[in-house]
Amino acid sequence: MRSGLSIALNVFVPGTGLVLARRERWGTSLAFVFAVFGQVVLFGGWITPSSIPRSMTLVAAVGAVATWLVAQGLLLSRLSVLRGPAFPSDKATLLQLGREALEDGIYVNARLAIESALALDDEDVVANVLWARLMTLMGRFSEARRAWRRVQQLDPGGDYRREAVAALRQLPSER
C-alpha cells in the first residue's frame, strides 16, 4: 500500500513520504531543511570539524532532529485523515455538490467544492473530470487543457477517455 511506502521513505528522508501523500510543498520544504541541517552536521562533526563552530554543529543537529520529528508528525496526521471513516463520504459529498453547482451554472460554488475534493484526493478521476469541465466552461483554456491531460493520465483508456480527447480537440489552440 502507498501509505507503507510513504512511512518508510519519510523515516529515511523526512518529507519524502509527505510528497507521496500529496503534500508536495510541505514534503519538499522539510526535505530541503533536513538536508541543509544534515550537511552542517556532517561537515561540522566529521568532514571539517575545525571550520564550523561546535555550537553551530549542535544547533544544526537539533534542527535536523526537530525537522525529522515534524515530518513524521505531519505524515501521520495526513495518513490519519486519508484513512479516516469520513473521508470517502466527505469526498463523495463534495463531488456531488460540485456536480450540482456545475449543472446549475454556479461556477463559484462548483469551484469551491471541486477544489476541496481535489485537496482531499487529487488523483480522483471524477474530481479531475469535473475540474476540467469547470475550467472549460469558465473559459480558462490553458488550465482546462492541463486538466484534461491530467484526466488522460489518471484514466488511460477508461470511462473518460473519449470526453478528454474530444475536449482537447475543441479547445482553442495555444498562442
Side-chain angles (χ1 to χ4, degrees):
M1 187 173 175
R2 194 163 142 170
S3 63
L5 180 60
S6 295
I7 292 170
L9 286 173
N10 212 55
V11 167
F12 290 109
V13 181
T16 54
L18 286 165
V19 172
L20 279 182
R22 311 311 296 172
R23 290 294 177 249
E24 292 88 356
R25 289 183 184 139
W26 276 105
T28 304
S29 299
L30 287 169
F32 178 76
V33 169
F34 182 77
V36 169
F37 283 140
Q39 288 293 320
V40 173
V41 170
L42 286 174
F43 275 87
W46 293 287
I47 298 174
T48 57
S50 61
S51 67
I52 296 178
R54 184 102 172 120
S55 61
M56 184 181 282
T57 303
L58 291 174
V59 168
V62 169
V65 169
T67 304
W68 189 89
L69 291 171
V70 167
Q72 305 316 310
L74 287 173
L75 179 63
L76 292 177
S77 173
R78 174 68 176 158
L79 292 178
S80 69
V81 167
L82 294 177
R83 292 180 184 160
F87 178 73
S89 65
D90 288 348
K91 185 173 75 170
T93 301
L94 287 167
L95 291 174
Q96 184 60 33
L97 289 171
R99 188 176 292 115
E100 290 171 2
L102 197 57
E103 290 170 1
D104 294 340
I106 307 170
Y107 298 149
V108 172
N109 292 354
R111 184 178 184 129
L112 289 171
I114 297 168
E115 279 181 333
S116 298
L118 285 169
L120 290 175
D121 183 7
D122 69 341
E123 292 184 350
D124 184 84
V125 176
V126 174
N128 279 281
V129 167
L130 291 174
W131 181 254
R133 289 176 185 164
L134 177 65
M135 292 297 102
T136 302
L137 289 170
M138 291 176 66
R140 296 186 167 194
F141 300 125
S142 62
E143 292 178 53
R145 190 171 286 100
R146 277 194 305 271
W148 284 117
R149 286 183 185 136
R150 176 115 169 111
V151 168
Q152 288 179 317
Q153 289 174 348
L154 294 173
D155 189 37
D159 299 332
Y160 301 100
R161 183 180 187 281
R162 287 186 187 159
E163 182 180 1
V165 169
L168 285 168
R169 281 188 195 140
Q170 291 175 357
L171 288 173
S173 62
E174 295 181 65
R175 293 178 188 176

